[in-house]
Amino acid sequence: MPELESEQPDFAAVPERSKWRYKPRRVWRSRLVRAIALITVLALCALVILAIVRRETGTEGFLVGLGLAVLPVPLLVFAFRWLDRVEPAPWKNLLFALAWGAFASTLVAIFANSFAVEWISSATADPGSAESLGATAVAPVVEETAKGAAVLLLFLFRRRDFTGPVDGLVYAGFTATGFAFTENILYLGNAFGEDQTLGSGGLGTTVATFFARVIMSPFAHPLFTSLTGLGLGFAALLPAGARFRRTRLWLLPLAGLLLAMGLHALWNGSATFHPLAFVLVYGMFMVPVFALLTWLAIWSRQKELRTISGELPAYATAGWLALDEPLALSSMRARSLARGYAARTFGKPGARAVGEYEAFATTLAFLRHRARRGLAPQDFTAREQELLHHLWQRRQVASPALTYAARATGRVWAPPQYLDYGGYNPYRS
C-alpha cells in the first residue's frame, strides 16, 4: 500500500491522458445513453406517424397500404447495398438513415405541409390552389430538407464512415427509401379507401396508384435526395489545404439540396397540372437524370477500386501483402472468387477470414489515400498499425486465396501447371 508522504504527492507513474483506462465520464458522453436516446426519439416518431397514417387511411387501408408499400423496399435496399460493396457502410448508419426517413422525416413533412397548405388556403381563400401550390412549392422544400438532415447528421458525426460521393448516395438512398415507404402507405391506403367508398367492388384507384408510385417511380425520392448526398459526398473529398475550403464545404451541400428541391418541385408540378406534363417530365428529365446518376454511381465505385489498386502496392513492396493481392483486391469478381476458394479449402471460417481481410485492406487503402490528400486523422499511425495487425493475423488464409483469384481472373500472369511458384501451386494434388 503506497503511503502519502507529502501534501502534494508525485504521480509520475500515471500514464498520459489518452491512455487512461479509468476516465471520468459525463452521462451524455456514454455511447449507450446516446444510442438509447436516439432509438427512443425515432420510436416515438414511428408511433406518432403510423398512428396519423392509420387515422387517415383506416385500419384496412393502412394494412393494404403497408403490404403494398413494402414491396419495393428490398429492391432499393439491395441496389444501394450493391453500390456500397467496395467499402460497405456500417449497418447501424444505414438503419439510422432508413428509420429517420421513414419516421422522423415524414412526421416533420406531414405537419409542415399541412400547416403551409392551411395557411395558404386561409390567405387566398382558394383551397384548390393552396393544394397545388403546397405540392409544388412547399412540399419539395420541406421534404428534401427533412430527408437531407439525416445525411447531414451522418456527415457531421460519422465522418469516418462518410468518405466520398458513394457514401453520400447510399445514405441519401436509404433515407429516401424510408420516406417513400411511409408516404406510399398513406397514398395507397387512401386509394384503397376511395375504392371501398365507391362500392363498385373494383380496385382501380389502388392499382393506378400502385403503378404510378411503385412500378413507374420507385426511385423518385432516392433520386431527389441523392443530389443532396452527392453534394455532401464531394464536400467530404475536399483536402485540408484546398482553396476556399470552408466556403466550398457550405456551397457544395447547399447546391445539392437546391437541385434536389428543384427536381422534386418539377416532378410534383408535372403531376399536379396535367397528365401529359407528367409524361414529358418523366421522359425528358427523370429518366436522363436517373441514367446520369447511375453512371456517376458506377464511376465512383470504379474510382474506389482504382484507389485500392493505387494505394496498396506500397504495402506489398514493404512486405505486408503479396505482390498479386492489390490487383485481386481491386476487382469485385476476384474478391468473390477468393472467398469461394477459401470456403472450399478452409470452410466457412476461411471465407469469413478472407472477407474480413478484404474489408481491412480496403479501409487501409482509403486511410492512406486520405492521408496523402491531407485528411489524415490525428491517430493515423495507430490506426494504420492496427489494420496491418488485423491483416497479418489473417494472411496465411487470405493471401493464397487472393493470389489464386488474381490469376484465375487473368489480372496477373499464371505460370504453367508444372511449375512451382512462390511455394503456392493450386494445381498440386
Side-chain angles (χ1 to χ4, degrees):
M1 176 68 66
E3 296 181 358
L4 182 62
E5 299 179 352
S6 66
E7 294 183 0
Q8 186 62 41
D10 182 17
F11 297 105
V14 175
E16 56 182 289
R17 185 180 183 86
S18 61
K19 296 182 180 180
W20 281 3
R21 184 173 179 179
Y22 305 100
K23 299 179 181 179
R25 294 188 178 183
R26 297 177 182 175
V27 175
W28 181 244
R29 291 183 179 177
S30 170
R31 289 186 178 181
L32 178 62
V33 172
R34 285 183 291 181
I36 292 174
L38 181 61
I39 292 171
T40 302
V41 170
L42 291 176
L44 290 173
C45 290
L47 291 174
V48 174
I49 189 63
L50 293 178
I52 292 173
V53 173
R54 194 204 64 80
R55 187 187 64 187
E56 290 284 334
T57 61
T59 302
E60 288 187 2
F62 176 80
L63 294 176
V64 170
L66 178 64
L68 295 176
V70 79
L71 293 179
V73 172
L75 170 65
L76 294 171
V77 168
F78 173 81
F80 288 112
R81 195 60 178 168
W82 174 86
L83 180 64
D84 199 33
R85 285 175 63 201
V86 177
E87 191 183 20
W91 271 108
K92 61 182 179 181
N93 293 353
L94 299 177
L95 292 176
F96 162 76
L98 190 69
W100 180 282
F103 307 131
S105 296
T106 49
L107 185 62
V108 171
I110 200 167
F111 279 115
N113 289 339
S114 300
F115 173 79
V117 169
E118 289 179 5
W119 183 83
I120 295 172
S121 179
S122 62
T124 61
D126 188 356
S129 298
E131 289 286 345
S132 300
L133 187 59
T136 305
V138 177
V141 175
V142 172
E143 293 176 8
E144 294 309 318
T145 302
K147 289 182 289 181
V151 191
L152 178 62
L153 288 173
L154 290 167
F155 177 82
L156 294 175
F157 298 104
R158 287 291 183 267
R159 283 291 283 115
R160 182 179 295 185
D161 305 320
F162 202 129
T163 58
V166 172
D167 292 316
L169 280 171
V170 171
Y171 291 138
F174 268 77
T175 305
T177 297
F179 185 93
F181 165 70
T182 304
E183 189 179 62
N184 284 341
I185 297 175
L186 180 62
Y187 279 92
L188 291 166
N190 283 334
F192 179 80
E194 290 181 18
D195 287 328
Q196 296 298 105
T197 302
L198 293 175
S200 61
L203 296 174
T205 307
T206 306
V207 172
T209 305
F210 179 81
F211 180 77
R213 298 191 64 85
V214 177
I215 303 298
M216 283 192 66
S217 56
F219 283 94
H221 274 290
L223 179 63
F224 307 145
T225 313
S226 65
L227 296 171
T228 305
L230 280 176
L232 288 165
F234 284 118
L237 291 177
L238 292 175
R243 294 185 61 188
F244 309 111
R245 182 174 185 271
R246 187 178 296 275
T247 303
R248 289 158 69 183
L249 277 175
W250 283 93
L251 289 181
L252 285 171
L254 182 60
L257 178 62
L258 292 176
L259 286 173
M261 292 176 180
L263 188 61
H264 195 161
L266 182 64
W267 173 257
N268 284 5
S270 67
T272 301
F273 291 117
H274 198 278
L276 182 59
F278 173 80
V279 175
L280 289 175
V281 168
Y282 187 85
M284 296 179 64
F285 288 93
M286 296 294 290
V287 173
V289 170
F290 178 75
L292 177 62
L293 286 180
T294 301
W295 172 83
L296 180 61
I298 295 174
W299 176 83
S300 298
R301 200 178 86 154
Q302 292 301 117
K303 186 174 183 294
E304 289 184 339
L305 293 173
R306 289 194 296 271
T307 299
I308 294 172
S309 64
E311 299 294 345
L312 290 184
Y315 294 100
T317 303
W320 290 101
L321 309 176
L323 295 177
D324 297 339
E325 288 183 42
L327 295 172
L329 289 166
S330 60
S331 165
M332 299 308 295
R333 180 167 175 261
R335 286 181 173 217
S336 178
L337 281 176
R339 293 193 298 272
Y341 172 85
R344 294 191 302 272
T345 307
F346 303 104
K348 289 185 178 180
R352 183 168 58 251
V354 174
E356 292 171 349
Y357 188 94
E358 292 170 351
F360 287 129
T362 301
T363 303
L364 180 65
F366 281 99
L367 181 67
R368 180 178 174 85
H369 182 66
R370 289 194 293 272
R372 288 202 307 107
R373 298 180 66 252
L375 298 173
Q378 295 181 351
D379 58 344
F380 168 79
T381 302
R383 289 170 61 182
E384 182 185 45
Q385 290 297 317
E386 181 182 348
L387 290 168
L388 290 172
H389 170 72
H390 290 314
L391 294 177
W392 194 262
Q393 286 184 319
R394 296 160 177 80
R395 69 174 299 179
Q396 289 194 356
V397 174
S399 186
L402 288 166
T403 300
Y404 163 77
R407 293 169 177 171
T409 54
R411 298 184 69 82
V412 296
W413 175 75
Q417 297 182 12
Y418 55 83
L419 291 180
D420 189 15
Y421 38 94
Y424 165 71
N425 190 342
Y427 308 103
R428 177 182 294 163
S429 59

